[in-house]
Amino acid sequence: MNDIIEAVNRAAAEAVAKINAATDSAELEALRIAYLGRNGLFPELSKKMGNVPPEQRRETGSAFNTGRNQVQQALNDALDKQKSTGKSGDAIDLTLPGRRRSCGHRHPITQLTDECVEVFGRMGFIAVDGPEIEDIYHNFDALNTPDDHPSRDPKDTFYFPDGRILRSQTSPVQIRVMETHTPPVRIVAPGRVFRRDTPDATHGMNFHQIEGLYIDRNVSMADLKSVLQNFAWEMFGKDVKIRLRPHFFPFTEPSVEYDFSCVVCGGKGCNVCKQSGWIEIAGAGMVDPNVLKNVGIDPEIWSGYAFGLGLERLAMLRYRIPDLRFLYDNDVRFLGQF
Amino acid sequence: MDISRKWLADYVTLDCDDAVLCHKLTMAGIEVEHVEKLSSVPAGVVAAKILERNAHPGSDHLSVCKVTDGTEELQIVCGAPNCDAGCIVPLAKIGTVFHTPEGEFKIKRSKLRGVESFGMMCSEQELGISDNNDGLMILPADTKLGTTIESLYPGDTQIELEITPNRPDCLSLWGVARDVSCQLQCEAKLPEITVPECDIQIPDLVTVEDKELCPRYIGRVIKNVKIGPSPDWLKERLESIGLRSINNVVDVTNFVMMELGHPLHAFDRNALSGNRVVARRAKAGEKITLLDGREIELNESHLVIADGEKPMALAGIMGGEFSGVTESTTEILLESAVFKSSHIRTTSRQLGISTDASYRYERGVDYDMAEVASIRACQLILATAGGELASAAMEVAGVRPEEPVINCRFERIRSLIGTTVSNERIVEILRGLRLRVEDITSESCKVTAPLFRLDLTREADLAEEVARIDGLDKIPAIPVQGKFCHSSTEDVYTPVRKIRDTVIGMGYYECIHYSIVSTASALADKRFEKSDLIELDNPLSPDSAWMRPGLLGEMIATVGRNLARGNRDMRLFELDKAFCKNPEKYPEERYELLMLITGRRHPERYSSEAEADYDFYDIKGEVELLLERLGIRNYRFVIPEDNDGRFAPGMVMELQLEGKSAGRFGELAPEFSAKWRNASAVFFAQIDFAKLLDVSGHTVKAYKELPQYPGTSRDIAFLAPADMESGSVLDFLKRCKVANLESVQLFDIFVDDALKAQGKKSMAYSLSFRNRERTLTDAEVNTAMDKVRSKLAAELKVELR
């Protein structure tokens, strides 16, 4: 320990004490000048470093830096404190609202569409679009729908004077893809579909579906199950279980409906799942051999599955939206929540 | 369809509780929609022991008993003769609610002739267990105290099933039992179905004129029947599935339809002119009044069951008003027929009449069951209404449908389902479903489906049967595998999403509107006339009949709705399909982009920052920013020669991409906005998505070298005529080809009263100069500025300041 180190330590202690006792910013500024200013005490002390014997220089330099940093730190702290307690004249009100930029909001239906496309995209499904004004062949005939099937009734499906219709499902995109691509094909088709339903809490003139199709050699229901299982996990978390139930659709055989274990109660039973522990999500199945034949694909060589789901239903489930009409009302206070 | 558990148990042994049964049904494809317990014993009635019986001080026939249910001792006043100490009886404790035909009544603490009573001991009749009301119900001596009586006398369970259209065979108790027996691996059996022999022939009893629509008709006559109420067992069965009892004969036909799935009709034979029936097509102009009172005018497309003169029933759908059994009926003609399913479906839908019978016929009934159902109904009518058979089965039959034979390859079944189900199990399942399985080899078998399984015609159909009975939960989830398929770049989904995301990134809220709109909404987009609109043939209401030609109409409605709710600040967009009939304007179906802003520029800020409303330059800047974000540089904004009516006068510009019109932006016409109170000006941009996509598609983003040398800038200000457009100044400077001029930026426009009076304004620009190879000298820049000044003064005639 030499004289300079002692002087530095003394000066630092003295300065910190004075800084802590200072009551306004003018006083702090005076102390800054007195200790750290161009002609202040610390610069003065640093000039004496040349006189220190070489073997002590490292120690002395280190002590000097420590002392000066202590003073600087004390000054900074004191200034912060004064500003935040509003004691200095230039203080700002930190509690005022932040200056924000407005940010955009994706519609909940689009969020789910995009999310589904991403999830299936990771499993190798390509998103494709299809026409909304569709012909009877693609929407019904090619999908093995019997001529007198109720869904063809003008009570249920919108017709145009030229005999075409507004597609009642996204399934016609399956046909269009299979007509133009040789297997293997693996697609998802999101989009708007139309049913002649009077709008109410769970119905609308149109809603959105996403359709999946995979045609390849040796495709089985086991492949279907894993895709749906993955989908459930990615959308609602790893705890979600799925189950398949036998069902009937004209364009698949075997046909199933698939349920997710209730995402609200975890399967224990609640109002959302009507105490069953399961929530019906949508339909699926192995593409009916007649459908494959209709598009010129040999069902003896190729097999495949198709699945579909309603995005409004998924949105209502995911975001707990009680009434489907909110999704088409476009109130900015609603849209801004998503 | 509703079934009841007790009824189902008549045909199949159910060794499982309701929950397991319902689960099995659902998992086999017979989905349980709703379950309702039909127990008559109210909850809260428990087994209790009478400890003491004492005389009531104020009554001869009442007793005061001390009773325990195992947990507490209660005093009960009882009027029954048999409330002896030591008996175990049902005790309704305080709070128990009884449902009686007169309404609900609740057991309360009460005083009977001055003695307090804390509950009620019950008779069998009071609990709805039997009609015995002679005294208290005496439970077995070993009944555990506290046991609920409900659990000792469980009532029936009503189960509502959703039967898919391919499974008409399950539209009956027997049909469900048949399927359940395969799932539960037990036997399903019908009761013995027989009638006494009768060989009386009535050759002209039944005539079928159209065997295509009516391939089978069996008529039987029963005489001397006595119409009256049904026996209790029959009423109970019908009530257990929610049907009302009418009389013994009608109840039997309903019972047999629900039991076997085959609809029947009982005609009052004496009401039939000629005492006979004819299945024929109606004659044009014939009329029939149905059982429900509706009068229908018939034509040749309708199949009727007529008597010698007139239609008596709409075949397979509903009987006529005077055809049915009444209290005075003594002789009936029992119809058990098969009608063509598509015919019944068409007629039922056309007339808007759906009955339990038509529901079954239109899905397809079992040809072979017609005979069984006829015998079963006769058997039950004889048993419940008396009488005797007065004819043999008088049958007219067309061709019995052929049973399809299906080649079933075991490996194919496994490969479709994805399980390792064994050959033996496959055969076992198919046989369990009552299919005939023959010619079994190690690879395949021949399967014949009975006529009640019209849905089974192909191998894939058999795969479904195996999958659902063996259990879909046995199918493993095999991780995704397979080749990658075609590329996504050929589809529009990806670019739509990219542009949608860009607009969201610019702070817009995405809207989704219905695409079927009203006339006013469709024509609000003034680019279109009525002849451009695509009209629906069968709209929900006459006014929502149009496919939207553009996105503007619905967006205006959304703005109005939001304003009415006090939401005044909006940044909205929609990117979706619009439809046009006129190919000269647009393709039939196209994507369009609409962006709309109104209200305050920064509603989330405060003080002066929050006050400014959007103006024209905001929407212009939004369009510029969008194009920049999409990498589009080759665009122009021009002032269109016509305002198409969507925009306020003089407040519209057109976007041109590669020289072609690609949309417009500006202020919404006052025609729309004038009716909104407290609204700020509304600005929107409509952009043709296809052109945007086309141009951004072949825009390549490429690195441009950053400048190595510093630039310098000079300002220039001048007085110009008030109508001089900034755009023309910029164009002029561009044309001057000033050396090293890198960019020009407007930094001030100023007008005061004095300038205004002179018809002038002050404009100030900052010019940036830079050379990519070297640092510019002051002299070079000054020379360039001199050139700019003199050209501006000489050619644009502005006064330099």
Side-chain angles (χ1 to χ4, degrees):
Chain A
M1 171 106 48
N2 57 37
D3 291 353
I4 295 180
I5 296 177
E6 265 178 47
V8 163
N9 288 348
R10 209 166 40 240
E14 182 188 279
V16 169
K18 283 184 181 165
I19 287 166
N20 288 343
T23 54
D24 61 34
S25 52
E27 213 175 319
L28 287 174
E29 179 61 9
L31 287 167
R32 188 190 67 79
I33 293 167
Y35 287 94
L36 303 178
R38 193 175 292 185
N39 298 312
L41 191 51
F42 278 86
E44 285 301 317
L45 286 170
S46 80
K47 286 178 193 156
K48 296 183 181 165
M49 293 289 271
N51 307 335
V52 175
E55 70 275 12
Q56 292 181 16
R57 278 207 188 138
R58 174 189 275 260
E59 191 192 355
T60 312
S62 156
F64 178 82
N65 286 336
T66 308
R68 191 183 53 190
N69 290 346
Q70 277 171 359
V71 176
Q72 186 66 58
Q73 186 64 47
L75 261 174
N76 292 348
D77 291 350
L79 279 167
D80 272 354
K81 205 168 160 191
Q82 285 201 346
K83 278 202 176 173
S84 62
T85 52
K87 278 186 181 158
S88 75
D90 54 356
I92 66 163
D93 181 356
L94 298 177
T95 65
L96 284 175
R99 185 170 289 132
R100 293 168 34 182
R101 272 163 226 282
S102 59
C103 63
H105 294 269
R106 198 180 311 208
H107 194 282
I109 294 293
T110 312
Q111 289 191 27
L112 282 166
T113 307
D114 291 348
E115 209 174 315
C116 289
V117 168
E118 275 165 24
V119 168
F120 290 116
R122 284 193 281 277
M123 295 188 261
F125 289 81
I126 304 297
V128 297
D129 194 53
E132 290 175 11
I133 297 180
E134 190 47 281
D135 53 48
I136 299 280
Y137 176 77
H138 286 90
N139 196 80
F140 292 126
D141 299 347
L143 287 161
N144 199 36
T145 316
D147 285 344
D148 53 6
H149 195 271
S151 63
R152 292 177 183 252
D153 197 294
K155 275 210 308 267
D156 298 320
T157 294
F158 287 113
Y159 279 78
F160 293 105
D162 64 2
R164 290 188 300 165
I165 56 166
L166 278 170
R167 64 176 178 188
S168 63
Q169 48 192 356
T170 41
S171 308
V173 184
Q174 286 182 24
I175 302 297
R176 292 188 176 275
V177 169
M178 288 192 285
E179 280 172 343
T180 49
H181 295 76
T182 45
V185 289
R186 181 148 53 184
I187 56 118
V188 278
R192 213 183 264 253
V193 301
F194 301 79
R195 303 266 167 98
R196 217 167 151 278
D197 289 326
T198 307
D200 66 17
T202 53
H203 297 87
M205 286 184 283
N206 65 229
F207 59 100
H208 294 74
Q209 281 188 334
I210 186 162
E211 184 91 4
L213 172 77
Y214 177 42
I215 306 285
D216 204 339
R217 289 171 206 272
N218 301 318
V219 182
S220 79
M221 293 180 83
D223 300 281
L224 169 65
K225 202 168 184 178
S226 85
V227 165
L228 297 178
Q229 175 76 78
N230 261 321
F231 171 65
W233 285 343
E234 295 228 32
M235 295 299 285
F236 291 102
K238 272 281 182 187
D239 294 331
V240 174
K241 293 179 199 61
I242 68 160
R243 75 171 185 189
L244 307 182
R245 273 182 294 107
H247 203 74
F248 171 71
F249 304 106
F251 35 88
T252 48
E253 186 76 25
S255 301
V256 298
E257 277 190 330
Y258 56 97
D259 303 337
F260 288 179
S261 57
C262 180
V263 297
V264 177
C265 64
K268 287 192 282 288
C270 66
N271 287 338
V272 174
C273 61
K274 293 184 199 138
Q275 310 303 332
S276 72
W278 295 94
I279 292 180
E280 185 181 320
I281 298 295
M286 302 302 292
V287 178
D288 194 285
N290 291 351
V291 174
L292 294 175
K293 282 182 208 153
N294 287 339
V295 291
I297 292 177
D298 184 352
E300 287 293 315
I301 301 172
W302 305 98
S303 59
Y305 56 76
F307 56 86
L309 58 133
L311 290 161
E312 272 77 358
R313 185 173 163 67
L314 210 58
M316 291 169 83
L317 206 57
R318 158 74 70 89
Y319 303 115
R320 318 274 158 85
I321 297 169
D323 191 322
L324 185 144
R325 285 168 292 196
F326 295 159
L327 292 165
Y328 290 88
D329 183 60
N330 298 303
D331 188 311
V332 290
R333 294 165 302 178
F334 174 84
L335 297 174
Q337 294 177 20
F338 303 98
Chain B
M1 187 187 67
D2 290 335
I3 62 168
S4 93
R5 183 189 167 111
K6 274 193 181 166
W7 194 347
L8 188 64
D10 287 349
Y11 316 108
V12 63
T13 314
L14 299 173
D15 281 333
C16 54
D17 66 17
D18 290 347
V20 171
L21 175 64
C22 290
H23 179 74
K24 291 255 179 201
L25 285 166
T26 294
M27 295 313 285
I30 303 171
E31 192 181 348
V32 173
E33 294 262 284
H34 185 71
V35 181
E36 197 166 328
K37 280 270 186 197
L38 299 176
S39 174
S40 57
V41 181
V45 182
V46 297
K49 188 173 185 176
I50 303 174
L51 300 172
E52 287 176 21
R53 176 181 184 174
N54 299 306
H56 190 288
S59 164
D60 292 343
H61 68 275
L62 292 177
S63 310
V64 180
C65 301
K66 196 165 270 176
V67 175
T68 178
D69 66 349
T71 54
E72 58 181 333
E73 277 186 22
L74 299 163
Q75 175 172 292
I76 311 283
V77 178
C78 181
N82 63 341
C83 56
D84 298 324
C87 290
I88 299 191
V89 297
L91 169 67
K93 297 175 75 172
I94 288 168
T96 304
V97 178
F98 284 81
H99 300 270
T100 67
E102 291 80 41
E104 280 185 2
F105 93 94
K106 193 172 177 180
I107 302 292
K108 292 184 204 130
R109 176 178 166 172
S110 58
K111 259 187 187 170
L112 284 102
R113 303 226 179 146
V115 179
E116 279 200 301
S117 181
F118 297 85
M120 182 179 93
M121 295 188 279
C122 310
S123 70
E124 292 188 8
Q125 191 201 41
E126 281 161 338
L127 295 179
I129 291 168
S130 79
D131 288 339
N132 186 349
N133 202 25
D134 294 343
L136 296 182
M137 177 182 189
I138 305 296
L139 296 165
D142 57 355
T143 309
K144 195 167 171 273
L145 299 187
T147 311
T148 61
I149 310 303
E150 196 184 352
S151 67
L152 299 175
Y153 290 87
D156 207 347
T157 308
Q158 194 180 90
I159 303 171
E160 187 189 340
L161 302 174
E162 186 205 331
I163 308 292
T164 52
N166 60 327
R167 294 299 304 276
D169 63 294
C170 285
L171 291 173
S172 65
L173 272 298
W174 167 241
V176 173
R178 213 160 39 191
D179 211 76
V180 164
S181 76
C182 184
Q183 298 158 42
L184 300 177
Q185 302 192 334
C186 60
E187 204 189 343
K189 250 170 89 177
L190 275 174
E192 200 181 332
I193 296 177
T194 54
V195 275
E197 292 278 326
C198 175
D199 50 15
I200 303 166
Q201 300 291 321
I202 311 177
D204 62 347
L205 184 72
V206 174
T207 313
V208 175
E209 288 182 4
D210 192 326
K211 285 188 187 165
E212 195 211 332
L213 298 189
C214 176
R216 193 172 196 194
Y217 197 109
I218 301 168
R220 277 189 162 91
V221 177
I222 307 172
K223 62 179 186 186
N224 299 329
V225 293
K226 199 165 177 311
I227 306 299
S230 290
D232 285 344
W233 71 264
L234 182 52
K235 280 187 195 166
E236 197 180 300
R237 283 287 179 261
L238 293 177
E239 280 163 9
S240 74
I241 59 166
L243 291 179
R244 206 162 42 91
S245 170
I246 294 163
N247 62 47
N248 43 14
V249 171
V250 171
D251 285 0
V252 165
T253 58
N254 283 335
F255 176 88
V256 174
M257 174 173 69
M258 298 316 297
E259 179 181 57
L260 302 176
H262 199 94
L264 300 164
H265 191 69
F267 291 97
D268 181 337
R269 194 174 175 219
N270 293 323
L272 298 171
S273 156
N275 299 339
R276 53 192 285 262
V277 288
V278 185
R280 61 163 169 86
R281 283 177 184 266
K283 297 175 189 126
E286 267 185 327
K287 283 180 184 160
I288 184 170
T289 304
L290 298 175
L291 273 172
D292 63 0
R294 264 181 72 174
E295 193 188 54
I296 305 269
E297 179 153 344
L298 302 162
N299 59 44
E300 283 105 349
S301 76
H302 300 122
L303 185 73
V304 295
I305 308 301
D307 59 11
E309 297 168 1
K310 58 197 177 300
M312 294 301 282
L314 197 54
I317 298 178
M318 198 183 269
E321 198 177 9
F322 305 111
S323 74
V325 170
T326 63
E327 278 168 25
S328 57
T329 302
T330 56
E331 187 165 331
I332 58 180
L333 191 163
L334 181 74
E335 163 194 300
S336 179
V338 176
F339 300 111
K340 189 178 176 186
S341 58
S342 58
H343 171 79
I344 301 295
R345 181 158 42 224
T346 311
T347 309
S348 157
R349 211 173 291 164
Q350 182 219 333
L351 299 176
I353 306 173
S354 181
T355 58
D356 284 333
S358 70
Y359 189 76
R360 284 165 178 78
Y361 277 125
E362 68 181 41
R363 280 162 178 76
V365 297
D366 176 4
Y367 187 91
D368 293 340
M369 189 57 87
E371 172 67 4
V372 182
S374 174
I375 298 173
R376 176 66 163 158
C378 286
Q379 176 187 29
L380 293 176
I381 288 169
L382 296 178
T384 61
E388 65 252 29
L389 269 177
S391 82
M394 304 312 300
E395 175 173 356
V396 179
V399 188
R400 181 178 182 270
E402 246 174 71
E403 292 158 339
V405 180
I406 310 159
N407 187 30
C408 170
R409 292 164 296 175
F410 300 123
E411 198 47 50
R412 181 74 180 162
I413 301 286
R414 280 188 286 270
S415 79
L416 272 174
I417 311 176
T419 63
T420 55
V421 58
S422 70
N423 296 4
E424 293 70 30
R425 176 76 177 131
I426 292 174
V427 170
E428 182 189 44
I429 288 169
L430 298 176
R431 284 190 169 149
L433 290 167
R434 301 176 181 240
L435 314 188
R436 200 160 70 236
V437 184
E438 296 160 318
D439 299 349
I440 304 171
T441 69
S442 59
E443 272 141 34
S444 68
C445 59
K446 289 247 173 310
V447 179
T448 310
L451 290 181
F452 63 83
R453 289 306 300 270
L454 298 170
D455 59 315
L456 304 180
T457 58
R458 305 159 310 165
E459 217 171 21
D461 302 326
L462 300 179
E464 177 167 88
E465 294 306 298
V466 173
R468 75 180 179 91
I469 299 294
D470 199 38
L472 292 177
D473 51 348
K474 287 205 183 130
I475 298 175
I478 296 178
V480 179
Q481 51 194 332
K483 295 188 184 77
F484 271 86
C485 305
H486 67 281
S487 142
S488 63
T489 54
E490 56 195 88
D491 199 81
V492 75
Y493 171 80
T494 310
V496 166
R497 179 170 178 179
K498 179 183 152 192
I499 292 176
R500 188 182 271 143
D501 283 356
T502 304
V503 180
I504 292 167
M506 289 164 56
Y508 282 81
Y509 288 39
E510 187 189 10
C511 298
I512 293 183
H513 295 104
Y514 285 122
S515 37
I516 300 170
V517 299
S518 68
T519 320
S521 169
L523 293 178
D525 201 322
K526 306 237 169 188
R527 285 175 290 170
F528 304 97
E529 294 153 34
K530 211 155 183 179
S531 60
D532 298 327
L533 305 182
I534 299 177
E535 185 176 13
L536 284 167
D537 206 28
N538 57 338
L540 265 175
S541 73
D543 196 47
S544 54
W546 309 99
M547 299 307 294
R548 58 175 175 182
L551 309 182
L552 184 61
E554 289 303 288
M555 190 62 96
I556 289 174
T558 284
V559 171
R561 220 166 27 244
N562 272 289
L563 287 171
R565 296 170 189 172
N567 311 328
R568 53 174 290 224
D569 310 301
M570 284 169 252
R571 296 173 63 81
L572 305 175
F573 87 101
E574 186 170 16
L575 170 49
D576 214 326
K577 281 180 175 170
F579 304 82
C580 178
K581 196 155 94 182
N582 182 353
E584 301 197 346
K585 287 191 175 163
Y586 291 103
E588 179 172 271
E589 198 170 318
R590 71 186 194 285
Y591 278 97
E592 193 161 275
L593 171 62
L594 187 84
M595 299 159 72
L596 178 144
I597 52 177
T598 183
R600 291 166 296 173
R601 202 173 284 149
H602 295 299
E604 69 286 352
R605 297 189 185 172
Y606 52 92
S607 300
S608 60
E609 284 183 58
E611 281 161 19
D613 277 353
Y614 287 120
D615 63 23
F616 178 85
Y617 303 108
D618 287 292
I619 193 67
K620 187 177 183 191
E622 302 284 355
V623 176
E624 287 167 346
L625 181 60
L626 173 68
L627 296 168
E628 187 189 302
R629 294 300 306 133
L630 297 176
I632 298 172
R633 268 174 244 100
N634 187 10
Y635 68 85
R636 254 164 38 102
F637 292 150
V638 298
I639 296 165
E641 282 170 20
D642 65 308
N643 179 344
D644 55 30
R646 290 178 291 166
F647 298 92
M651 295 294 273
V652 51
M653 286 197 97
E654 182 167 287
L655 165 68
Q656 293 191 345
L657 293 173
E658 297 181 337
K660 276 179 271 176
S661 166
R664 287 184 175 189
F665 59 87
E667 182 178 350
L668 181 66
E671 173 187 343
F672 304 110
S673 54
K675 59 178 180 284
W676 294 328
R677 287 195 296 165
N678 304 325
S680 314
V682 177
F683 300 91
F684 75 96
Q686 162 266 315
I687 297 173
D688 189 337
F689 178 80
K691 296 210 173 75
L692 202 60
L693 192 61
D694 202 27
V695 175
S696 77
H698 51 79
T699 301
V700 181
K701 286 188 181 167
Y703 165 73
K704 238 164 74 182
E705 200 187 349
L706 299 178
Q708 301 282 320
Y709 297 93
T712 184
S713 68
R714 297 282 191 277
D715 295 345
I716 186 169
F718 48 83
L719 292 179
D723 63 354
M724 179 168 284
E725 289 173 350
S726 182
S728 62
V729 176
L730 296 179
D731 284 346
F732 175 78
L733 289 172
K734 215 178 203 172
R735 280 201 307 277
C736 288
K737 299 209 177 342
V738 182
N740 298 317
L741 180 61
E742 188 181 43
S743 66
V744 181
Q745 193 165 12
L746 175 76
F747 75 85
D748 191 37
I749 292 242
F750 172 74
V751 188
D752 63 9
D753 291 344
L755 286 172
K756 202 172 183 176
Q758 299 169 50
K760 296 206 163 140
K761 64 181 169 187
S762 161
M763 303 175 94
Y765 290 86
S766 173
L767 283 64
S768 301
F769 294 86
R770 193 195 299 275
N771 187 294
R772 300 194 74 83
E773 264 84 49
R774 60 194 167 78
T775 305
L776 291 173
T777 64
D778 272 357
E780 277 178 294
V781 177
N782 290 342
T783 311
M785 278 308 286
D786 287 343
K787 182 177 166 194
V788 169
R789 283 167 189 284
S790 60
K791 283 214 168 205
L792 278 173
E795 293 174 35
L796 270 194
K797 310 268 190 275
V798 299
E799 293 170 42
L800 295 169
R801 304 180 85 184

